[in-house]
Amino acid sequence: MQEKKISLQPEYINAVKKYTEAYGVAHARAPRAFVQTFGCQQNEADSERLAGLAKSMGYELTDTPESAQLIIVNTCAVREHAEKKTLSVIGQYKHIKAEDPELIIAVCGCMVGQEHRRNELKMRYPYVDFTFPPASPQMLPKLLSERLAGGRRVFVPGEERPPICEDIPVHRESKHRAWVSVMYGCNNFCTYCIVPYVRGRERSRAPEDIIAEVRGLAEAGVRDITLLGQNVNSYGKNTDFDCDFSTLLRRVSEVDGDFRLRFMTSHPKDATFALIDAIAECDKVAKHLHLPVQSGSDRILERMNRHYSVESYMEKLDYLRARVPDAAVTSDIIVGFPGETEEDFLATLDILRRARYDRIFSFIYSPRRGTPAAEMEDQIAGEVKSERFARLIELQNEITLEKNRELVGKTFRVLCDGVSRTNEKYLEGRTEHDRIVIFEGEGIAIGDTVELEITKADTFNLFGKILEK
Ligand code: SF4
């Protein structure tokens, strides 16, 4: 099956350009666009395309909403808390609009992929001009040009299989790191997850389009490229590309250039031995695998509709450790899933001891309206969830500290990301295992690669000294 592909519509882009040019004449400067992102890497990648589009239509980018003539809020729906936070931020824009009635406020992303949130914005946020679904930046020119022309407020629902648009300009936040989406949507319907309901069915970009984008990035000097998808291991399924994800990884790593290749997110049921072989055999591919296990209990994994068992999961981890002994492994864990007993939770603690992850991203289960798990009867009490969450973190911190201490004295190539977030006197960067190292680095610039020896480790940080630039 061939994915539906569409192109940008120049008539709408030109209509907006007319407005931005006229604004420029009237105000002796271009109108400004503020793009705000909540949520995951996929949303960050979508926002880079929204920013690229706004610039191509004549807007300058600004990092303050107060100075903008166009505000685009790219939202997340992964947890109730994230949505509430986003709605309170949008609420604050009421005052900016009161100051400048010409301001356009657009909301997109997963939160507005849900009908009840679109209705809420329509009824209770009259200063929001339009909304459009996630992964659909190509809709912006039409909606913006129609609203600028005095059109009514619009709240666009999501589609089952939104088309793929390849010719969208991208404004990248970083010069040395880049996101490259390889697929959109998800068909897995894990019972706790809202993504399949808001991002639609899986659609894979054509391999040649992905390779062309990576080649362009490599030629532009980008040093670290992450291939993105809700479940990258489903790449190429139901297409006539004859290219699954491990093949794509090999083909992309053949592109000329000095860059590291990463990918996220993998689903354990679709992560293959062929993928692990590609990690082991392709020099450019980072020796790191993020493999979300979510729970250590087969009973809970079944209630989550995850389609793998703890044993099949561990089999893949053991194979990875055999093929790539120093690979870093990270995971996601949900605590307090409906029906989780103390025994189930102890099984989760057990898989932490067996898997010995470098680090985990852990979450307290949050019911998502519209998902099957939210309707399950045996919801766990808040204090039980918090108590289990604390025990989980305590155990994982012990493991992470032990693993970090094993790295003292070892040397790694580190790509400098800039000033350390924990101490401005230092720089920080990532190893090919996606471990963050803090170091002193006079004369070292963002994007430089340095050889470092690990001199000290604690639970959350590695510290190093430069051996050579
Ligand atoms: S794989 Fe599961 S958790 Fe991940 S996006 Fe798809 S439905 Fe959500």
Side-chain angles (χ1 to χ4, degrees), residues 100-133:
D100 175 8
E102 281 194 33
L103 167 66
I104 299 282
I105 300 176
V107 181
C108 61
C110 294
M111 184 181 80
V112 289
Q114 305 168 98
E115 188 177 3
H116 71 279
R117 290 300 187 194
R118 288 196 301 279
N119 292 340
E120 191 171 353
L121 289 174
K122 187 192 275 182
M123 311 311 281
R124 296 178 42 207
Y125 297 74
Y127 39 91
V128 169
D129 293 278
F130 57 83
T131 75
F132 54 103

Side-chain angles (χ1 to χ4, degrees), residues 264-335:
M264 63 191 313
T265 297
S266 288
H267 191 301
K269 79 174 171 58
D270 300 314
T272 60
F273 286 14
L275 170 68
I276 293 167
D277 293 337
I279 296 173
E281 294 158 15
C282 301
D283 291 346
K284 285 198 178 80
V285 177
K287 306 310 172 214
H288 165 233
L289 180 61
H290 181 65
L291 201 61
V293 71
Q294 304 299 9
S295 172
S297 154
D298 284 345
R299 195 181 70 85
I300 295 296
L301 289 175
E302 196 164 333
R303 286 169 70 89
M304 288 177 165
N305 192 33
R306 294 288 286 171
H307 294 283
Y308 54 84
S309 68
V310 169
E311 286 323 308
S312 67
Y313 179 94
M314 286 307 300
E315 206 186 310
K316 291 174 182 173
L317 223 51
D318 293 344
Y319 184 72
L320 174 73
R321 296 234 160 98
R323 291 286 345 250
V324 194
D326 67 341
V329 184
T330 54
S331 192
D332 296 346
I333 302 270
I334 293 176
V335 169

Side-chain angles (χ1 to χ4, degrees), residues 186 188-190 192-193 195-196 230 267 306:
C186 186
N188 288 315
F189 291 94
C190 302
Y192 52 83
C193 184
V195 171
Q230 252 70 48
H267 191 301
R306 294 288 286 171

Side-chain angles (χ1 to χ4, degrees), residues 173-219:
E173 285 300 318
S174 165
K175 293 216 170 347
H176 72 287
R177 272 181 198 287
W179 310 114
V180 173
S181 298
V182 297
M183 63 173 300
Y184 306 101
C186 186
N187 293 358
N188 288 315
F189 291 94
C190 302
T191 53
Y192 52 83
C193 184
I194 196 74
V195 171
Y197 305 93
V198 291
R199 282 187 172 266
R201 297 293 65 70
E202 289 169 357
R203 294 98 64 207
S204 298
R205 293 177 64 199
E208 49 277 9
D209 292 329
I210 296 167
I211 290 165
E213 184 173 353
V214 170
R215 188 171 294 117
L217 291 169
E219 284 160 5

